[in-house]
């Protein structure tokens, strides 16, 4: 028997984490990453006044200006590489590069600023990418039933809507598991459905 390791490197899969400003993308990735997460947080300055609305997240002092990055190995055969998008519309030109090659997306929702997730929803629906909506439960925020949130956002029954606490590793893992189930389901249905003519 050779001294070489029999371990097989896990399959690397790219996942995007998106949503509005202050929704918890950096926290979500940091809570679950098994490596030191990379973030491009910068201080919110006077330059953003009148450009980036902080209504509902007045205590926020930093924001992502390029991307967040982390990695989690879900099991020995599968490693997820997590890429967080910036939340402001003015940085949306970065999304195409961040999304390229991604298997699926988590769109985080903050019920205090629910309208902020519409750009991400529109983007991923237009691109036909599998995604889940993860309602980040902030302390002190009003709670709504998931069905109410689905209805308010106009999201079909085919898209999972789940609760999460972006600070809690187990909660984030559950969201990522739901996304992987969604990706597998979409791909399985796609194999059974004849391709539509364009």
């Amino acid at each position: 028997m050779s001294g070489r390791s029999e371990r097989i490197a896990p399959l690397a899969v790219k996942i995007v984490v998106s949503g509005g400003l202050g929704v918890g993308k950096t926290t979500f990735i940091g809570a679950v990453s098994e490596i030191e997460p990379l973030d491009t947080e910068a201080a919110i300055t006077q330059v953003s006044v009148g450009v980036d609305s902080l209504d509902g997240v007045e205590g926020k002092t930093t924001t992502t200006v390029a991307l967040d990055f982390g990695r989690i190995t879900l099991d020995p055969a599968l490693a997820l590489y997590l890429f967080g998008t910036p939340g402001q519309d003015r940085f949306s030109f970065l999304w195409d590069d961040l999304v390229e090659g991604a298997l699926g997306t988590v769109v985080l929702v903050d019920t205090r600023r629910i309208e902020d997730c519409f750009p991400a929803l529109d983007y991923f629906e237009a691109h036909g990418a599998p995604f889940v909506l993860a309602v980040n439960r902030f302390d002190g925020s009003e709670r709504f039933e998931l069905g109410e949130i689905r209805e308010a956002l106009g999201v079909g029954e085919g898209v999972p809507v789940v609760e999460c606490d972006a600070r809690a590793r187990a909660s984030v893992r559950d969201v990522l598991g739901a996304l992987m189930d969604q990706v597998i389901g979409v791909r399985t249905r796609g194999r059974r459905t004849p391709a539509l003519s364009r």
Side-chain angles (χ1 to χ4, degrees):
M1 181 180 216
S2 70
R4 289 188 314 155
S5 171
E6 297 295 321
R7 256 178 70 189
I8 298 172
L11 173 67
V13 171
K14 183 178 184 180
I15 298 297
V16 171
V17 180
S18 193
L21 173 67
V23 76
K25 300 178 294 293
T26 302
T27 302
F28 183 98
I29 291 172
V32 78
S33 182
E34 61 201 14
I35 61 172
E36 183 67 31
L38 165 72
D39 66 55
T40 56
E41 291 279 295
I44 295 174
T45 65
Q46 287 300 112
V47 175
S48 68
V49 174
V51 178
D52 301 327
S53 170
L54 295 178
D55 292 343
V57 289
E58 290 84 358
K60 187 169 176 60
T61 59
T62 61
T63 186
T64 298
V65 294
L67 64 94
D68 296 312
F69 175 76
R71 183 190 73 208
I72 178 174
T73 305
L74 283 187
D75 64 45
L78 182 64
L80 304 186
Y81 288 79
L82 308 174
F83 289 79
T85 67
Q88 304 95 312
D89 287 345
R90 62 192 169 102
F91 293 126
S92 62
F93 65 91
L94 296 169
W95 286 17
D96 287 340
D97 291 334
L98 289 174
V99 169
E100 185 176 353
L103 194 64
T105 303
V106 174
V107 177
L108 283 171
V109 178
D110 178 354
T111 56
R112 301 170 303 175
R113 297 163 50 99
I114 199 162
E115 67 284 350
D116 284 5
C117 72
F118 280 117
L121 281 178
D122 292 344
Y123 183 91
F124 294 109
E125 285 178 339
H127 283 74
F131 66 93
V132 299
L133 282 181
V135 181
N136 192 7
R137 297 300 191 188
F138 288 89
D139 294 338
S141 64
E142 187 175 354
R143 297 181 72 88
F144 298 91
E145 296 296 326
L146 296 180
E148 292 179 275
I149 295 169
R150 177 188 299 281
E151 187 175 340
L153 295 174
V155 175
E157 292 294 330
V159 175
V161 181
V162 298
E163 285 188 306
C164 79
D165 180 341
R167 302 166 297 184
R169 180 178 177 84
S171 183
V172 172
R173 282 184 63 101
D174 288 346
V175 172
L176 295 172
L179 175 61
M180 296 313 296
D181 289 345
Q182 174 72 347
V183 167
I184 292 166
V186 166
R187 289 180 171 244
T188 302
R189 289 190 298 274
R191 283 198 296 268
R192 288 199 300 252
T193 305
L196 299 173
S197 57
R198 296 191 183 274

